Structures are given as C-alpha cells and as structure tokens.
Amino acid sequence: MLNRFFGQKPQEDPKQKQTTGNTAPAQPAGQQPVAEQRFTFLNRTRQIFNRLGNTVQETDTITDSLWDELEESLLGADVGPSTTLWLIERLRQRVSDENMRTGGQVQQALREELTALLGKSSSLRFSKQSPLTVILVIGVNGSGKTTSIAKMAYRLKREGHSVMLAAGDTFRAAAIDQLQEWGNRVEVPVISQKPNSDPGAVVYDALQAAQSRGSDVLIVDTAGRLHTKFNLMEELKKINKIIQKFVPDGPHELLMVIDATTGQNALLQARKFAEDIGLTGVVITKMDSTAKGGFAFAVADDLGVPIKFIGTGEKVENLMPFEPQNFVAALFAQQ
C-alpha cells in the first residue's frame, strides 16, 4: 500500500496477522503493573473500556446488546468506523470458530485483536552501513512536528547519541525559529538558512556538518503543506537524492507526526501524505489532552505502519516509545 517513495519494505498488514493469543504476564491481585501506570493519560479511554467490561460482567452472555455496546465503546474511544467494523466482524467470526459462550471470552478476544492490530513494538532504525543515521520528519502545521523533533533529539542525546537537527521547513520562518529555540534548550546544534531558502541546500549543509562534527544522528524537519502535495513530493525526492550522496542507505526513517486531538480528520490528512510516500512510522502527539486513545488503533489499521512514539505532554521528556501490549493492557486496567 505504501513505500513506493523510498522503496522501503512494506509493513505486514495487521489484519492479516494471526492472533497468537498471548497475553501479558499475570500481576499480583490489586497491583497495577508499572507499565500500565505509565499510561495514566489514557484515563478517558480507560473509562470507556471499563464500562464495556462492566456490561460484560453483568450479562456474561453473548447477546445483540453486547455487540451494540462493544461497537459503541469502540466508536466512543475514537477507534474509527472502518476499524470498528472490521473488529466486530473479526470477533463475530472468532465467536463462531472458537465456540465462545460468554462475554468474558469476547472481551479477551478483543484484547488479543487490538494487540495484534498494533503489531510489535518498533524502535527507531539506525544505519548498519554508515556512521550517520538520517531521520526525515513530516507533518501538517500545528501537529506538534517541531516539538516532537526536539523531544526525539533529547531522548537520543540521553541515550548517548550525537544528534544534529536540520531546519528543512524553510517556508515558515516561525518553523526555523522554533527549531532553533528547541535546539538551544536541548543543547543540540541546528543547521538552518534564511526563510524561503532551498530545503535541499539546508539538508546538504546539515549532512556536511554532521559528518565533519562526527554526529551519528541527523533529524531533518520538512515542510508540511497539504495544499501543495506535488511540490512537497518533489522536494522530498530531491532531499532523498542529496541524502544518498552522503549516506547511500539513507534515509533510515520517514516519520509522520499526527495530532491525536483532531481524531479522524488527522487520519484523512495522513492518508494524503501516505499515498505516495514510504512512511516507516508515525508519532502521535497530544495524547495527554482530550484525545481518546483508540485513535492509535485507527492509525495502525489505516496507515499500516508502526507507531514509534506518542507525545504525552509539553515537557521535553514527554515522548514515550510506543509499546503495544502495555498500551492495550492499560486500556483494560481497572481504575
């Protein structure tokens, strides 16, 4: 479906995966797993799933009302119509194939399907051939793209990497200034030029600087203009060629930043980018506000690429590697 742009290997379609049935290890009674405690920002979504769990406990039979409640809960959690429909159909098939009799069995099957839909955790990919790893980041204006880049740089720096940033979104002076400000905060060098400069020239300078200074990670901010998609594609192709002159196996990641608070509208925007661009992953931002966590399932289902990180606050530390099993477990944890 994707990956025509950079020629990356397509991700496996989550809907084609066979459910393993594996669940997280049992925890002592009354004790919330540490991993689940990290997802306190999911309280709103957890309330929805808890209501579903209460309904299951009250009826403990598979009835039409149970399916209605399940559909309502999934839609209420912003899982999205398409993904919700697929999940309901998949669960109905499993009820028939596995001779399920109770609502509790359906709830466990739902947990397994949600985990399978998200796939395995996927960390950032680093070059195995070159000393420099290049990460391109795209996203519409206002999605939290620049902030996410800074958070990623901060995390990588703390992990021992020598990081450099390239202010490739030259069409917005504010984007250059913002990235420079964040670079100062996290003490990471930023390569930039004047507004409206050629983004390719900025990337060229950044690659030269990264190699000369011995940086091992270069994160490139790029323009996010939906209304000029063709120009954006041409720009990215040019940047890609420049990168490969310095780093033949690059770029190693092409990440899209998506604002969770805009829900299904953000997903529509993401599809426009993903049609012809070989995304390797997404970063979901603003999961700490009014967003409903079910949006993560819609993203994974619709775009078919792994979720690399989720933003959970405004501080530079508030960027979490996405852990599918723990994420699902947190949704079903009792409050």
Side-chain angles (χ1 to χ4, degrees):
M1 180 176 67
L2 305 175
N3 306 295
R4 282 179 284 173
F5 180 59
F6 288 126
Q8 304 286 358
K9 181 179 179 181
Q11 298 290 325
E12 183 179 3
D13 186 348
K15 292 180 180 179
Q16 300 300 324
K17 294 178 182 178
Q18 295 296 322
T19 303
T20 61
N22 294 336
T23 57
Q27 298 289 329
Q31 180 178 339
Q32 187 184 34
V34 174
E36 292 176 12
Q37 295 173 13
R38 299 174 61 198
F39 290 96
T40 54
F41 59 89
L42 285 175
N43 284 341
R44 178 176 176 182
T45 310
R46 187 181 291 120
Q47 290 173 0
I48 297 173
F49 278 84
N50 281 343
R51 286 200 299 270
L52 173 62
N54 292 336
T55 300
V56 168
Q57 292 175 7
E58 290 171 2
T59 61
D60 204 35
T61 55
I62 301 175
T63 62
D64 289 340
S65 61
L66 176 63
W67 293 116
D68 291 341
E69 177 73 15
L70 176 58
E71 182 176 358
E72 181 180 345
S73 296
L74 293 174
L75 290 174
D78 209 20
V79 171
S82 176
T83 305
T84 294
L85 177 61
W86 181 84
L87 281 167
I88 296 295
E89 292 177 349
R90 170 66 176 153
L91 290 172
R92 283 184 178 275
Q93 186 63 48
R94 286 191 61 178
V95 166
S96 175
D97 293 344
E98 300 172 27
N99 297 316
M100 295 181 187
R101 293 289 181 266
T102 68
Q105 290 174 311
V106 175
Q107 187 182 40
Q108 177 59 31
L110 172 62
R111 185 167 175 166
E112 294 169 359
E113 292 298 330
L114 290 173
T115 303
L117 191 62
L118 293 177
K120 298 179 180 180
S121 59
S122 178
S123 57
L124 287 176
R125 300 187 303 184
F126 295 92
S127 175
K128 296 181 180 179
Q129 303 175 23
S130 306
L132 179 63
T133 293
V134 182
I135 301 171
L136 296 186
V137 183
I138 65 174
V140 298
N141 298 336
S143 64
K145 173 168 58 81
T146 307
T147 306
S148 296
I149 289 173
K151 291 178 179 179
M152 199 183 312
Y154 175 79
R155 169 174 285 275
L156 289 170
K157 184 180 176 182
R158 293 192 64 181
E159 292 174 354
H161 294 280
S162 176
V163 185
M164 182 175 288
L165 306 180
D169 187 355
T170 62
F171 297 94
R172 288 193 309 127
I176 299 173
D177 294 340
Q178 186 182 13
L179 192 65
Q180 289 175 331
E181 182 179 345
W182 272 112
N184 291 332
R185 289 189 196 179
V186 300
E187 298 181 338
V188 169
V190 178
I191 304 301
S192 64
Q193 294 187 13
K194 295 179 179 180
N196 295 316
S197 298
D198 179 8
V202 175
V203 174
Y204 184 91
D205 288 348
L207 286 162
Q208 280 192 323
Q211 290 187 337
S212 64
R213 301 182 197 180
S215 299
D216 67 317
V217 177
L218 173 64
I219 305 177
V220 180
D221 187 13
T222 64
R225 307 178 313 280
L226 281 179
H227 60 286
T228 54
K229 178 187 169 186
F230 175 79
N231 290 338
L232 176 60
M233 282 297 303
E234 293 304 308
E235 176 187 307
L236 287 173
K237 289 178 182 178
K238 180 179 178 181
I239 290 174
N240 183 51
K241 291 179 180 179
I242 293 172
I243 290 172
Q244 291 181 348
K245 288 181 180 179
F246 288 83
V247 187
D249 62 328
H252 307 92
E253 292 276 11
L254 177 57
L255 306 179
M256 179 166 187
V257 177
I258 303 176
D259 179 354
T261 62
T262 54
Q264 297 301 309
N265 287 333
L267 201 54
L268 291 173
Q269 294 173 337
R271 287 194 202 111
K272 292 183 181 294
F273 276 113
E275 285 173 357
D276 298 307
I277 298 176
L279 293 178
T280 61
V282 299
V283 178
I284 302 180
T285 61
K286 306 178 187 179
M287 288 285 276
D288 58 308
S289 52
T290 59
K292 290 167 282 189
F295 180 63
F297 302 104
V299 169
D301 180 28
D302 197 275
L303 300 183
V305 295
I307 300 169
K308 300 279 185 172
F309 295 101
I310 49 177
T312 62
E314 296 180 358
K315 295 181 179 180
V316 71
E317 301 90 354
N318 297 145
L319 187 72
M320 289 176 52
F322 189 69
E323 303 163 343
Q325 280 197 332
N326 292 334
F327 185 82
V328 175
L331 290 180
F332 286 88
Q334 294 296 315
Q335 293 181 314

